[in-house]
Amino acid sequence: MTAVSLTVNGEQRAVDVASDTPLLWVLRDNLGLLGTKYGCGIALCGACTVHLDGQPVRACTTPVGQAEGRTVTTIEGLAGEDVSHPLQEAWVAENVPQCGFCQSGQLMSAAALLARNPSPSDADIDAAMNGNLCRCGTYQRIRRAIHRAAGQIEEAG
C-alpha cells in the first residue's frame, strides 16, 4: 500500500492503495463516487469512462498509479454544482437514457469529443463514441444529443 495523491473533480485527494489498483475501484470504493460504472472490466464497454487530464480513459483498466499527480474528472464533476453541462441538458431533451447504465461513460466520452471538436460531424461522433456500448441501442439519440449540445455550446461561445 502506498499513498496516491490525485485531483478528483477539482479536489486534492490522497488514498492508501496499491498503485496497481484500478482507478475505477478507487473512485467507487475509496472515494464514494458511484457515477462511474463497472461494465466489463476489460475496457471494451466504456461504462467506466472518466477523464484523465482531459482525455477519456477506461477507469477499469487504468491503474491509480497512472493518475498520481494528475487530474481526474468523473461524471460527478462534469458540470458545476448548480449547473448542468450542455450535454446533460441535451441528454434529457433528446430522451437519451433508457436503462441509464452506460450513460455516465457515454457523457464523458461525448464531453471529451466536444472539448476537442466543438462542431463534430456524424462521422466524428461515431468515431469518438466507438467503444461506448449501449445495450438499449440509443445510439441515434446519443448522436442527436451531441449535436444539440454542440449547438448550445456554439451559441453560448
Side-chain angles (χ1 to χ4, degrees):
M1 299 281 221
T2 59
V4 177
S5 179
L6 60 158
T7 302
V8 180
N9 298 331
E11 185 179 331
Q12 186 65 32
R13 305 296 297 262
V15 290
D16 243 353
V17 296
S19 63
D20 64 347
T21 303
L23 179 58
L24 175 64
W25 301 126
V26 170
L27 294 171
R28 292 182 59 81
D29 296 344
N30 297 89
L31 301 179
L33 297 170
L34 303 179
T36 305
K37 304 298 184 203
Y38 173 81
C40 66
I42 55 175
L44 294 177
C45 74
C48 67
T49 302
V50 298
H51 294 176
L52 186 58
D53 291 338
Q55 297 302 308
V57 298
R58 304 299 197 243
C60 71
T61 58
T62 301
V64 71
Q66 285 185 7
E68 173 83 38
R70 298 172 72 186
T71 300
V72 176
T73 305
T74 68
I75 190 69
E76 292 90 347
L78 185 60
E81 198 167 303
D82 294 324
V83 153
S84 295
H85 188 281
L87 277 165
Q88 293 167 316
E89 293 173 6
W91 242 243
V92 172
E94 294 293 338
N95 295 309
V96 172
Q98 194 161 323
C99 83
F101 190 81
C102 69
Q103 297 308 306
S104 62
Q106 299 277 2
L107 282 158
M108 296 306 290
S109 289
L113 166 64
L114 293 181
R116 71 177 178 276
N117 181 354
S119 187
S121 67
D122 284 348
D124 295 332
I125 292 170
D126 293 346
M129 301 305 289
N130 187 29
N132 283 85
L133 304 179
C134 175
R135 291 180 181 180
C136 301
T138 65
Y139 300 110
Q140 295 303 317
R141 287 183 269 178
I142 290 168
R143 187 187 291 150
R144 283 194 311 268
I146 293 170
H147 281 301
R148 179 186 286 258
Q152 289 174 333
I153 292 168
E154 190 174 0
E155 287 176 13

